């Protein structure tokens, strides 16, 4: 019913190539969405497979480029550790109708390209990679929690969203990478808002703070933003990572 092996000059794996967003609905829901028993049943049985021609059809005249990015795995793509670099030959490529633009790019041959899509037509999303670097002032600690981010641009904003998959530990002086995909292009990037929310864990005594003698906080030193679809790469800096700022907007380029 399908294969994961790379068999083309280049191979595209939207959402990892397996389970597609919007394909986990039950039969009744699919029938209601599709407006009939036949189409609803077809979508319930073969929704993931049917996305292939739906993505291709949407790619023909789409303003959103259906850009895929070279990466060794979908897991690494999702966690933001792969580069969204379209300035390098073979670093990215358009899935669907315009995929033949890669024919002349010999360095792209044999590569796997990944992307995310939405659950409904027109499916295409724009991808943004964040690399957040924490400061390490005296007296700072490791804390556990979730990180939320919002990017503002000339055409709007992403809207604040959680970028961590779960509650994670943040260590002073370390850098962390994340990937955000949204269905609209925010234009020229202006600033990035970061919001960290502490969440302790009962089995780790170092995370205990029963009398609120310590104040869980992160120190945002810098954040680098890469907008893969518009070839933007911008770094915003804070105040050297020495000022408490668990909720902060960085707008000074560095």
């Amino acid at each position: 019913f399908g294969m994961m092996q790379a068999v083309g000059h280049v191979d595209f794996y939207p959402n990892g190539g397996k389970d597609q967003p919007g394909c986990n609905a039950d039969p009744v829901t699919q029938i209601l969405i599709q407006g009939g028993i036949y189409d609803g049943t077809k979508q319930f049985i073969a929704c993931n497979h049917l996305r292939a021609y739906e993505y291709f059809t949407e790619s023909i005249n789409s303003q959103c480029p259906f850009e895929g990015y070279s990466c060794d795995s979908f897991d690494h793509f999702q966690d933001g550790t792969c580069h969204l670099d379209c300035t390098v030959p073979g670093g990215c490529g358009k899935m669907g109708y315009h995929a033949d633009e890669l024919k002349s790019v010999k360095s792209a041959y044999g590569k796997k390209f990944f992307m995310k899509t939405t659950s409904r037509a027109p499916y295409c999303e724009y991808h943004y990679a964040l690399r957040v670097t924490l400061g390490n002032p005296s007296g700072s600690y490791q804390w556990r929690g979730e990180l939320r981010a919002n990017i503002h641009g000339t055409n709007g904003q992403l809207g604040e969203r959680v970028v961590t998959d779960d509650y994670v530990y943040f260590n002073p002086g370390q850098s962390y990478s994340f990937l955000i995909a949204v269905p609209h292009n925010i234009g020229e990037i202006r600033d990035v808002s970061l919001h960290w929310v502490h969440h302790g864990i009962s089995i780790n005594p170092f995370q205990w703070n029963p009398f609120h003698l310590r104040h869980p906080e992160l120190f945002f030193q810098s954040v680098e933003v890469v907008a893969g679809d518009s070839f933007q790469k911008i770094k915003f800096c804070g105040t050297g990572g020495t000022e408490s700022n668990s909720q902060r907007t960085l707008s000074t380029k560095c």
Side-chain angles (χ1 to χ4, degrees), residues 79-90:
D79 63 26
T81 56
C82 291
H83 298 292
L84 305 185
D85 193 352
C86 292
T87 63
V88 176

Side-chain angles (χ1 to χ4, degrees), residues 12-141:
F12 292 90
Y13 296 83
N15 307 298
K18 294 184 178 179
D19 298 327
Q20 302 300 303
C23 285
N24 58 349
D26 59 79
V28 175
T29 301
Q30 287 286 16
I31 290 171
L32 293 175
I33 292 175
Q34 299 300 321
I37 294 177
Y38 173 76
D39 289 333
T41 303
K42 181 176 68 173
Q43 282 290 338
F44 175 71
I45 295 174
C47 179
N48 293 303
H49 302 280
L50 297 176
R51 282 287 195 267
Y53 75 78
E54 291 174 351
Y55 292 157
F56 188 94
T57 302
E58 290 291 345
S59 75
I60 296 174
N61 293 317
S62 174
Q63 290 185 344
C64 182
F66 276 90
E67 204 79 68
Y69 299 91
S70 175
C71 194
D72 59 345
S73 73
F74 186 58
D75 287 339
H76 288 164
F77 176 71
Q78 284 195 109
D79 63 26
T81 56
C82 291
H83 298 292
L84 305 185
D85 193 352
C86 292
T87 63
V88 176
C92 69
K94 296 180 176 63
M95 181 182 74
Y97 183 76
H98 303 284
D100 60 351
E101 293 178 7
L102 286 173
K103 271 188 175 181
S104 61
V105 185
K106 300 299 182 182
S107 59
Y109 284 21
K111 287 188 175 181
K112 297 180 179 181
F113 294 87
F114 298 90
M115 68 184 67
K116 287 189 171 186
T117 71
T118 63
S119 60
R120 295 185 179 183
Y123 299 115
C124 186
E125 289 197 294
Y126 295 87
H127 299 79
Y128 298 85
L130 296 180
R131 183 173 177 82
V132 178
T133 300
L134 302 180
N136 189 17
S138 176
S140 56
Y141 297 92

Side-chain angles (χ1 to χ4, degrees), residues 3 16 48 113 161 185 202 221 228 250:
M3 59 188 300
N48 293 303
F113 294 87
R161 60 196 59 224
N185 184 356
S202 59
Q221 180 170 302
L250 284 73

Side-chain angles (χ1 to χ4, degrees), residues 10 13 18 35 40 68 76 91 135 150 165 185 247-248:
V10 297
Y13 296 83
K18 294 184 178 179
H76 288 164
N150 189 10
D165 291 332
N185 184 356
Q247 185 169 356
R248 184 161 188 202

